[in-house]
Amino acid sequence: MAFELSIVTPAGPVLDSSAEWVVVPGAEGEFGVLEGHESFLAPVQPGVVRHGGGSGRVAVSSGFAEVSAGRVTILVRSAVRSDQVDRHAAQAELERAREALRYATHETPEVELERLRDALATAEAQLCASE
């Protein structure tokens, strides 16, 4: 038994596949979905989406996952399939975000701190997905 799995960014779809299961990095921890799961909407944090019945893993930034009858749609700001990760670029982004966070002060706006934390976690997810 399978369902449709889509990972979509503002630039367009990154993955459209059938899957027998999917594990998503939710804001409160990973959650899994099988065929026939109850419908829900959940926040997604940067991490690696793993799925069965398809190939590979996908590193994602923050966003939302919608589970409905026969379909899981993950809407995120950015996503990279594991076979398309540029490890050098991800490592450079990781170091840039770490450096910026290291020099942040109490006067740094919370919005900027959150953007840097998201960039750091997204780069870590890309490196993890490409292993």
Side-chain angles (χ1 to χ4, degrees):
M1 307 238 341
F3 54 86
E4 293 301 310
L5 172 62
S6 297
I7 299 177
V8 182
T9 70
V14 173
L15 178 73
D16 277 313
S17 178
S18 287
E20 296 173 4
W21 55 268
V22 64
V23 176
V24 180
E28 296 185 23
E30 289 185 328
F31 62 86
V33 177
L34 299 170
E35 176 68 31
H37 199 290
E38 187 70 28
S39 296
F40 68 93
L41 182 67
V44 173
Q45 70 179 9
V48 178
V49 173
R50 300 183 315 273
H51 58 93
S55 61
R57 298 167 297 188
V58 180
V60 298
S61 64
S62 57
F64 290 91
E66 178 185 26
V67 176
S68 58
R71 172 169 283 289
V72 174
T73 303
I74 301 171
L75 305 166
V76 290
R77 285 188 289 223
S78 67
V80 181
R81 294 171 67 125
S82 61
D83 60 347
Q84 297 176 342
V85 171
D86 179 339
R87 288 189 58 80
H88 294 291
Q91 187 65 46
E93 178 61 20
L94 180 72
E95 293 305 320
R96 188 197 67 70
R98 279 184 181 153
E99 190 72 11
L101 282 168
R102 188 175 298 121
Y103 290 104
T105 68
H106 67 281
E107 295 176 5
T108 303
E110 185 59 35
V111 170
E112 178 64 11
L113 291 173
E114 194 57 37
R115 187 191 67 73
L116 290 170
R117 288 184 200 113
D118 189 69
L120 179 74
T122 299
E124 288 173 337
Q126 288 180 14
L127 292 169
C128 183
S130 69
E131 294 177 343

